[in-house]
Amino acid sequence: MSEFGRENPQFYLTAPTACPYLPGKYERKVFTHLVGEKASALNDILTQGGFRRSQNIAYRPACEACKACVSVRVRVDEFQPSRTFRRIIKRNADLIGEELPPQPSADQYALFRDYLDMRHAEGGMAEMTVLDYAMMVEDTHVETRVIEYRRRGPDSGIRGRGRGPLIAVALTDVLSDGLSMVYSFFDPDMADRSLGTFMILDHIERARKAGLPYVYLGYWVKGSPKMGYKIRFAPQEHLTGTGWLRVEGEDDAQD
């Protein structure tokens, strides 16, 4: 990419494709590249404007006849875990997440494949190879962390790392105003732990400790069961045509 392209991002529009969330709908996306020295600053601005990151691409929906995708961020300082959330935190008190650089590993890919095969066998990521996974993790020009969750060991409080098999993983961007959860996956045989919910709760606590006001959860799609869980983390803000609007969640949405 030329120096002009690095300093002045160009935006592109995709062709219509079938919507993965709402049957009978078609989606289009506007996207740009996140490269160069200003990639982190650009990622901050775009995330605050409703974009998401995938590798070195920032994108957001640009559908002509549908506005169902709504950007969601949790208000960290005001968040108070519900009784359900407190049970999930207690259930996973034996886990600890270790922050690592964005580097893939064989353990991560094995868990990733198990997760896809059990939870998203028909999804768009189902055919991802080990090379595809490596690119998803390490192809980043912004501040990114991999958080690996394992069971606590006797020295976890000192070293900040667990022991034993890998149980869950989160790929997370560190922004100037929060944490953005890019992608997460977990052991599908541990459904009773509600690990997806636990990782969000853990990120809210991480953001709180870091003095960051938000955790960005990506898009909530009203009417899509697979996205319903995001509305549970309240209070939160939704991006509207006039800016971010505070809303309350629905704690009884599906896990």
Side-chain angles (χ1 to χ4, degrees):
M1 180 175 289
S2 68
E3 288 302 313
F4 176 82
R6 290 178 183 271
E7 301 298 324
N8 302 274
Q10 304 296 300
F11 290 86
Y12 307 91
L13 187 64
T14 66
T17 57
C19 176
Y21 305 117
L22 299 176
K25 298 283 188 178
Y26 288 85
E27 68 170 359
R28 300 188 78 178
K29 295 175 182 176
V30 60
F31 70 94
T32 190
H33 296 275
L34 292 170
V35 293
E37 295 180 357
K38 296 185 178 180
S40 288
L42 180 60
N43 190 41
D44 270 19
I45 293 170
L46 293 178
T47 302
Q48 292 162 10
F51 280 72
R52 293 285 287 165
R53 184 182 72 82
S54 177
Q55 297 177 219
N56 64 2
I57 297 291
Y59 68 91
R60 67 167 296 171
C63 308
E64 297 176 0
C66 181
K67 304 296 181 185
C69 293
V70 178
S71 293
V72 173
R73 65 186 187 186
V74 182
R75 296 172 65 109
V76 169
D77 288 344
E78 298 178 61
F79 177 81
Q80 294 294 329
S82 65
R83 187 187 314 170
T84 298
F85 287 158
R86 291 196 298 271
R87 285 199 295 264
I88 292 172
I89 292 170
K90 183 177 181 180
R91 195 179 305 150
N92 291 284
D94 61 331
L95 302 185
I96 187 170
E98 179 184 5
E99 289 195 21
L100 299 167
Q103 298 174 349
S105 70
D107 283 352
Q108 291 172 21
Y109 182 69
L111 184 63
F112 177 70
R113 280 265 39 110
D114 288 345
Y115 174 77
L116 289 183
D117 292 344
M118 289 287 291
R119 291 291 188 107
H120 301 286
E122 305 300 325
M125 302 174 73
E127 302 302 321
M128 285 181 65
T129 66
V130 64
L131 179 58
D132 295 328
Y133 175 78
M135 292 295 290
M136 182 178 79
V137 173
E138 65 187 7
D139 189 7
T140 175
H141 292 252
V142 305
E143 187 176 354
T144 304
R145 296 288 182 268
V146 171
I147 304 176
E148 292 189 347
Y149 294 86
R150 302 175 191 269
R151 284 190 170 87
R152 292 180 182 272
D155 60 350
S156 292
I158 300 173
R159 302 175 65 191
R161 64 181 63 174
R163 64 178 181 178
L166 189 60
I167 291 174
V169 175
L171 181 64
T172 303
D173 287 348
V174 182
L175 309 175
S176 62
D177 68 345
L179 301 178
S180 177
M181 298 185 70
V182 177
Y183 193 76
S184 61
F185 53 95
F186 50 85
D187 187 336
D189 292 327
M190 296 186 177
D192 59 322
R193 283 183 174 266
S194 299
L195 289 165
T197 297
F198 170 70
M199 282 189 280
I200 295 176
L201 294 170
D202 182 64
H203 275 67
I204 292 171
E205 186 58 27
R206 288 172 184 271
R208 193 194 311 275
K209 290 180 178 178
L212 297 171
Y214 301 112
V215 171
Y216 289 83
L217 299 182
Y219 302 117
W220 169 61
V221 184
K222 187 174 183 178
S224 173
K226 68 175 67 175
M227 290 295 179
Y229 69 93
K230 295 184 181 183
I231 201 68
R232 299 176 62 191
F233 300 87
Q236 58 186 227
E237 295 181 358
H238 292 184
L239 186 59
T240 70
T242 57
W244 289 94
L245 176 68
R246 176 194 170 101
V247 300
E248 297 298 332
E250 299 174 2
D251 187 48
D252 58 350
Q254 283 192 339
D255 220 6

